[in-house]
Amino acid sequence: MPQIIFQTQSKKFIAEFNQCLTAQMIQNSLPFEGTANLWGDEIYIDTGVQASDLHATLDVNAGDIAYRHEERRLCIFFGKTPASTTDKPVPAFPVVIIGKILCPPEELRAVKAGESIKVLVHEEKPLPKEPSAGDRKLTQAEIDALVKKLLAEKTAKAAGIPGAKTA
């Protein structure tokens, strides 16, 4: 699953998007930046992105990332909202769940209203590949010997010597 970064001035949260159509549409619009708004223990960011509302629901959990179609908002739930009757978050309107944060939901309490949040694809740099025996670089002496051998085979082939190899 694609990893996404939510970056504030002082914090970075990594999340994973699922493979639903809405998540793909949001991911394709990254990066973008918005202002954090709070509604209880929900952070929402206006995205300006028009995405699908297929499979919208009111059933969310702390740690869910969702999309609100009508307002074009990204919502991150980390606890009770004003619509909650238990400790479980309840969105104000149906949302499409597009992913989960990978940190404990309580860590999102560090985000303050009005704070700028950048949302971008997490670009992991691949680790350097360990060289294998086939990846070994040739020495100059080995290169010279190969060139000499290939030239000798080419000369022999051109002279019509039977069994001569071609390069």
Side-chain angles (χ1 to χ4, degrees):
M1 285 192 271
Q3 288 196 332
I4 307 300
I5 294 176
F6 291 85
Q7 177 76 52
T8 68
Q9 186 173 351
S10 60
K11 286 281 200 179
K12 177 167 78 171
F13 304 97
I14 297 178
E16 283 186 345
F17 275 13
N18 60 36
Q19 296 298 315
C20 77
L21 174 63
T22 306
Q24 291 174 18
M25 294 171 84
I26 298 293
Q27 183 178 340
N28 289 340
S29 71
L30 297 178
F32 60 79
E33 190 168 345
T35 301
N37 298 283
L38 298 176
W39 189 63
D41 287 346
E42 172 191 340
I43 300 167
Y44 64 90
I45 309 160
D46 293 326
T47 67
V49 177
Q50 184 67 51
S52 170
D53 65 348
L54 188 64
H55 305 299
T57 182
L58 289 171
D59 186 19
V60 300
N61 294 300
D64 283 346
I65 301 168
Y67 174 76
R68 169 75 175 127
H69 174 75
E70 284 75 8
E71 284 87 22
R72 299 179 183 177
R73 290 181 177 161
L74 210 54
C75 308
I76 309 165
F77 298 94
F78 59 96
K80 290 174 71 168
T81 63
S84 298
T85 57
T86 66
D87 286 344
K88 186 175 174 171
V90 176
F93 300 97
V95 293
V96 179
I97 298 172
I98 63 169
K100 282 208 152 300
I101 57 169
L102 298 180
C103 65
E106 309 80 55
E107 288 187 23
L108 293 173
R109 294 188 198 291
V111 177
K112 304 297 179 215
E115 207 171 356
S116 178
I117 298 181
K118 293 178 185 173
V119 185
L120 52 141
V121 176
H122 187 250
E123 302 279 343
E124 280 194 46
K125 293 185 174 106
L127 295 173
K129 182 179 150 189
E130 287 292 322
S132 66
D135 291 341
R136 180 179 72 78
K137 291 188 177 184
L138 298 175
T139 65
Q140 188 61 50
E142 291 170 318
I143 293 170
D144 293 343
L146 281 172
V147 169
K148 188 175 182 180
K149 179 181 174 188
L150 291 172
L151 286 172
E153 288 175 1
K154 185 175 182 180
T155 303
K157 176 79 174 169
I161 300 174
K165 298 178 186 174
T166 58

